Amino acid sequence: MVAGASRPSPKCMAGNNLMKNLHLQLVTPERTVLSEEVDSLTCPTSEGLITLLPGHAPLVATLASGELTVKSKQGNHFIHVAGGFVEVRPNNEIIILADGAEHSYEIDIERAEQAKKEAEELLKQQTTASEEYATTAWMLQKNLNRIKIARKHSHRRTGINHEGVFNQ
């Protein structure tokens, strides 16, 4: 900055990416889980957690099984993803292609507990082939993540948004 020059006003920066929201689209093979303007997105990748904000550089990353945290003016979303890919495109567009995804309030804890027990039993068997073992270990980890997310956000067990409308 040149001495004596003033800082740009927020109005001047309105065209700057830093003043915009992100457009997030989260899709699975079965459905569109979320499509809205968001302030930030934190997601689990194979390299660790990343937080995406407006103006982020383009990137493609592999999603790990875990929790997506979406923050927006409409409210926060906590979503379990079971792997996939996240792509940050120019103009603050984020596309997530997930193998599976469900909001924390959609997770059936009893079903996840049962799947966890089944995976643990399979892992105890010595006859499990290495490919089957890897698949079973992944299923165990996925269900442990689902249980953790559902319990962590159990006080938010309804799909009711900030306007009092039930979201499916």
Side-chain angles (χ1 to χ4, degrees):
M1 184 171 235
V2 178
S6 63
R7 294 182 183 264
S9 71
K11 282 186 180 180
C12 293
M13 295 178 67
N16 187 332
N17 280 343
L18 296 176
M19 297 301 284
K20 295 181 182 177
N21 286 338
L22 300 164
H23 179 72
L24 171 64
Q25 192 157 20
L26 169 56
V27 296
T28 69
E30 293 83 29
R31 66 185 178 135
T32 298
V33 177
L34 189 65
S35 181
E36 70 179 48
E37 298 294 315
V38 303
D39 297 324
S40 70
L41 167 71
T42 301
C43 53
T45 71
S46 58
E47 302 297 317
L49 282 177
I50 61 170
T51 297
L52 304 171
L53 299 168
H56 198 285
L59 82 92
V60 174
T62 304
L63 285 177
S65 177
E67 181 179 15
L68 285 177
T69 302
V70 180
K71 295 184 179 183
S72 70
K73 289 171 185 57
Q74 292 80 27
N76 296 336
H77 300 278
F78 305 96
I79 302 168
H80 173 263
V81 290
F85 296 94
V86 58
E87 178 183 8
V88 179
R89 295 179 174 175
N91 300 319
N92 292 315
E93 185 179 7
I94 300 176
I95 306 293
I96 296 178
L97 303 174
D99 297 332
E102 54 193 331
H103 291 267
S104 61
Y105 58 82
E106 297 173 318
I107 298 171
D108 182 340
I109 295 176
E110 289 178 19
R111 198 176 90 222
E113 288 277 3
Q114 183 61 36
K116 176 187 132 232
K117 286 178 187 173
E118 290 171 11
E120 287 171 338
E121 288 301 316
L122 280 173
L123 289 175
K124 288 179 185 175
Q125 296 175 6
Q126 298 297 326
T127 59
T128 306
S130 63
E131 185 176 312
E132 185 180 341
Y133 185 89
T135 301
T136 304
W138 179 82
M139 289 297 293
L140 175 61
Q141 186 60 49
K142 178 182 113 171
N143 283 292
L144 287 171
N145 285 334
R146 291 175 69 228
I147 293 164
K148 176 182 165 188
I149 292 165
R151 286 187 177 152
K152 179 178 175 183
H153 303 289
S154 63
H155 62 287
R156 298 181 178 106
R157 293 296 293 171
T158 65
I160 298 173
N161 68 17
H162 71 288
E163 297 170 341
V165 177
F166 183 73
N167 295 327
Q168 296 238 7

PDB file of all heavy atoms in Angstrom, residues 26-30 33 79-84 97-102:
ATOM      1  N   LEU A  26     -23.925 -31.047  -2.930  1.00  0.00           N
ATOM      2  CA  LEU A  26     -23.520 -32.353  -2.401  1.00  0.00           C
ATOM      3  C   LEU A  26     -24.466 -33.396  -2.970  1.00  0.00           C
ATOM      4  O   LEU A  26     -25.663 -33.379  -2.680  1.00  0.00           O
ATOM      5  CB  LEU A  26     -23.580 -32.343  -0.872  1.00  0.00           C
ATOM      6  CG  LEU A  26     -23.446 -33.678  -0.137  1.00  0.00           C
ATOM      7  CD1 LEU A  26     -22.160 -34.400  -0.503  1.00  0.00           C
ATOM      8  CD2 LEU A  26     -23.529 -33.464   1.361  1.00  0.00           C
ATOM      9  N   VAL A  27     -23.924 -34.295  -3.788  1.00  0.00           N
ATOM     10  CA  VAL A  27     -24.757 -35.312  -4.425  1.00  0.00           C
ATOM     11  C   VAL A  27     -24.183 -36.705  -4.181  1.00  0.00           C
ATOM     12  O   VAL A  27     -22.984 -36.883  -4.008  1.00  0.00           O
ATOM     13  CB  VAL A  27     -24.915 -35.076  -5.947  1.00  0.00           C
ATOM     14  CG1 VAL A  27     -25.651 -33.792  -6.229  1.00  0.00           C
ATOM     15  CG2 VAL A  27     -23.576 -35.081  -6.646  1.00  0.00           C
ATOM     16  N   THR A  28     -25.105 -37.675  -4.123  1.00  0.00           N
ATOM     17  CA  THR A  28     -24.757 -39.088  -4.036  1.00  0.00           C
ATOM     18  C   THR A  28     -25.387 -39.767  -5.248  1.00  0.00           C
ATOM     19  O   THR A  28     -26.170 -39.137  -5.968  1.00  0.00           O
ATOM     20  CB  THR A  28     -25.314 -39.727  -2.746  1.00  0.00           C
ATOM     21  OG1 THR A  28     -26.738 -39.785  -2.838  1.00  0.00           O
ATOM     22  CG2 THR A  28     -24.901 -38.952  -1.503  1.00  0.00           C
ATOM     23  N   PRO A  29     -25.107 -41.034  -5.477  1.00  0.00           N
ATOM     24  CA  PRO A  29     -25.779 -41.721  -6.586  1.00  0.00           C
ATOM     25  C   PRO A  29     -27.308 -41.741  -6.432  1.00  0.00           C
ATOM     26  O   PRO A  29     -28.023 -41.834  -7.423  1.00  0.00           O
ATOM     27  CB  PRO A  29     -25.215 -43.142  -6.519  1.00  0.00           C
ATOM     28  CG  PRO A  29     -23.876 -42.983  -5.894  1.00  0.00           C
ATOM     29  CD  PRO A  29     -24.054 -41.862  -4.892  1.00  0.00           C
ATOM     30  N   GLU A  30     -27.823 -41.624  -5.211  1.00  0.00           N
ATOM     31  CA  GLU A  30     -29.261 -41.708  -4.967  1.00  0.00           C
ATOM     32  C   GLU A  30     -29.981 -40.370  -4.984  1.00  0.00           C
ATOM     33  O   GLU A  30     -31.152 -40.294  -5.318  1.00  0.00           O
ATOM     34  CB  GLU A  30     -29.548 -42.372  -3.601  1.00  0.00           C
ATOM     35  CG  GLU A  30     -29.176 -43.836  -3.519  1.00  0.00           C
ATOM     36  CD  GLU A  30     -27.702 -44.053  -3.206  1.00  0.00           C
ATOM     37  OE1 GLU A  30     -27.082 -43.195  -2.543  1.00  0.00           O
ATOM     38  OE2 GLU A  30     -27.165 -45.077  -3.655  1.00  0.00           O
ATOM     39  N   VAL A  33     -28.167 -34.235  -1.703  1.00  0.00           N
ATOM     40  CA  VAL A  33     -28.291 -34.107  -0.251  1.00  0.00           C
ATOM     41  C   VAL A  33     -28.403 -32.648   0.150  1.00  0.00           C
ATOM     42  O   VAL A  33     -29.171 -32.292   1.043  1.00  0.00           O
ATOM     43  CB  VAL A  33     -27.094 -34.789   0.456  1.00  0.00           C
ATOM     44  CG1 VAL A  33     -27.163 -34.608   1.962  1.00  0.00           C
ATOM     45  CG2 VAL A  33     -27.035 -36.266   0.094  1.00  0.00           C
ATOM     46  N   ILE A  79     -23.146 -33.466   8.392  1.00  0.00           N
ATOM     47  CA  ILE A  79     -23.467 -34.531   7.447  1.00  0.00           C
ATOM     48  C   ILE A  79     -22.376 -35.582   7.462  1.00  0.00           C
ATOM     49  O   ILE A  79     -21.188 -35.256   7.391  1.00  0.00           O
ATOM     50  CB  ILE A  79     -23.613 -33.939   6.025  1.00  0.00           C
ATOM     51  CG1 ILE A  79     -24.702 -32.870   6.013  1.00  0.00           C
ATOM     52  CG2 ILE A  79     -23.898 -35.031   5.004  1.00  0.00           C
ATOM     53  CD1 ILE A  79     -24.745 -32.023   4.747  1.00  0.00           C
ATOM     54  N   HIS A  80     -22.788 -36.857   7.539  1.00  0.00           N
ATOM     55  CA  HIS A  80     -21.823 -37.950   7.405  1.00  0.00           C
ATOM     56  C   HIS A  80     -21.623 -38.234   5.925  1.00  0.00           C
ATOM     57  O   HIS A  80     -22.585 -38.360   5.180  1.00  0.00           O
ATOM     58  CB  HIS A  80     -22.315 -39.229   8.094  1.00  0.00           C
ATOM     59  CG  HIS A  80     -21.412 -40.388   7.806  1.00  0.00           C
ATOM     60  ND1 HIS A  80     -21.694 -41.292   6.818  1.00  0.00           N
ATOM     61  CD2 HIS A  80     -20.225 -40.747   8.342  1.00  0.00           C
ATOM     62  CE1 HIS A  80     -20.711 -42.185   6.764  1.00  0.00           C
ATOM     63  NE2 HIS A  80     -19.808 -41.859   7.674  1.00  0.00           N
ATOM     64  N   VAL A  81     -20.362 -38.295   5.481  1.00  0.00           N
ATOM     65  CA  VAL A  81     -20.042 -38.717   4.120  1.00  0.00           C
ATOM     66  C   VAL A  81     -19.245 -39.999   4.202  1.00  0.00           C
ATOM     67  O   VAL A  81     -18.439 -40.200   5.109  1.00  0.00           O
ATOM     68  CB  VAL A  81     -19.267 -37.658   3.304  1.00  0.00           C
ATOM     69  CG1 VAL A  81     -20.128 -36.481   2.967  1.00  0.00           C
ATOM     70  CG2 VAL A  81     -18.004 -37.225   4.001  1.00  0.00           C
ATOM     71  N   ALA A  82     -19.490 -40.885   3.237  1.00  0.00           N
ATOM     72  CA  ALA A  82     -18.820 -42.190   3.227  1.00  0.00           C
ATOM     73  C   ALA A  82     -17.801 -42.253   2.098  1.00  0.00           C
ATOM     74  O   ALA A  82     -17.736 -43.227   1.367  1.00  0.00           O
ATOM     75  CB  ALA A  82     -19.862 -43.300   3.079  1.00  0.00           C
ATOM     76  N   GLY A  83     -17.020 -41.190   1.949  1.00  0.00           N
ATOM     77  CA  GLY A  83     -16.021 -41.167   0.893  1.00  0.00           C
ATOM     78  C   GLY A  83     -16.552 -40.470  -0.353  1.00  0.00           C
ATOM     79  O   GLY A  83     -17.722 -40.121  -0.443  1.00  0.00           O
ATOM     80  N   GLY A  84     -15.661 -40.277  -1.324  1.00  0.00           N
ATOM     81  CA  GLY A  84     -16.021 -39.616  -2.566  1.00  0.00           C
ATOM     82  C   GLY A  84     -14.968 -38.588  -2.944  1.00  0.00           C
ATOM     83  O   GLY A  84     -13.784 -38.742  -2.612  1.00  0.00           O
ATOM     84  N   LEU A  97     -19.086 -35.142  -4.783  1.00  0.00           N
ATOM     85  CA  LEU A  97     -19.644 -36.396  -5.268  1.00  0.00           C
ATOM     86  C   LEU A  97     -19.322 -37.429  -4.201  1.00  0.00           C
ATOM     87  O   LEU A  97     -18.181 -37.879  -4.087  1.00  0.00           O
ATOM     88  CB  LEU A  97     -19.021 -36.785  -6.609  1.00  0.00           C
ATOM     89  CG  LEU A  97     -19.147 -35.754  -7.732  1.00  0.00           C
ATOM     90  CD1 LEU A  97     -18.368 -36.194  -8.959  1.00  0.00           C
ATOM     91  CD2 LEU A  97     -20.607 -35.518  -8.074  1.00  0.00           C
ATOM     92  N   ALA A  98     -20.317 -37.769  -3.399  1.00  0.00           N
ATOM     93  CA  ALA A  98     -20.100 -38.659  -2.254  1.00  0.00           C
ATOM     94  C   ALA A  98     -20.625 -40.057  -2.555  1.00  0.00           C
ATOM     95  O   ALA A  98     -21.655 -40.219  -3.220  1.00  0.00           O
ATOM     96  CB  ALA A  98     -20.799 -38.107  -1.019  1.00  0.00           C
ATOM     97  N   ASP A  99     -19.907 -41.062  -2.058  1.00  0.00           N
ATOM     98  CA  ASP A  99     -20.377 -42.445  -2.183  1.00  0.00           C
ATOM     99  C   ASP A  99     -21.684 -42.614  -1.426  1.00  0.00           C
ATOM    100  O   ASP A  99     -22.553 -43.369  -1.840  1.00  0.00           O
ATOM    101  CB  ASP A  99     -19.325 -43.417  -1.640  1.00  0.00           C
ATOM    102  CG  ASP A  99     -18.022 -43.364  -2.430  1.00  0.00           C
ATOM    103  OD1 ASP A  99     -18.070 -43.035  -3.636  1.00  0.00           O
ATOM    104  OD2 ASP A  99     -16.961 -43.637  -1.850  1.00  0.00           O
ATOM    105  N   GLY A 100     -21.814 -41.932  -0.325  1.00  0.00           N
ATOM    106  CA  GLY A 100     -23.025 -41.927   0.490  1.00  0.00           C
ATOM    107  C   GLY A 100     -22.969 -40.726   1.402  1.00  0.00           C
ATOM    108  O   GLY A 100     -21.879 -40.263   1.761  1.00  0.00           O
ATOM    109  N   ALA A 101     -24.119 -40.185   1.756  1.00  0.00           N
ATOM    110  CA  ALA A 101     -24.156 -39.032   2.665  1.00  0.00           C
ATOM    111  C   ALA A 101     -25.517 -38.967   3.326  1.00  0.00           C
ATOM    112  O   ALA A 101     -26.534 -39.292   2.710  1.00  0.00           O
ATOM    113  CB  ALA A 101     -23.881 -37.729   1.911  1.00  0.00           C
ATOM    114  N   GLU A 102     -25.512 -38.580   4.605  1.00  0.00           N
ATOM    115  CA  GLU A 102     -26.768 -38.407   5.331  1.00  0.00           C
ATOM    116  C   GLU A 102     -26.580 -37.361   6.413  1.00  0.00           C
ATOM    117  O   GLU A 102     -25.532 -37.285   7.050  1.00  0.00           O
ATOM    118  CB  GLU A 102     -27.267 -39.729   5.919  1.00  0.00           C
ATOM    119  CG  GLU A 102     -26.275 -40.458   6.795  1.00  0.00           C
ATOM    120  CD  GLU A 102     -26.661 -41.894   7.103  1.00  0.00           C
ATOM    121  OE1 GLU A 102     -27.859 -42.201   7.143  1.00  0.00           O
ATOM    122  OE2 GLU A 102     -25.743 -42.691   7.322  1.00  0.00           O
TER     123      GLU A 102
END
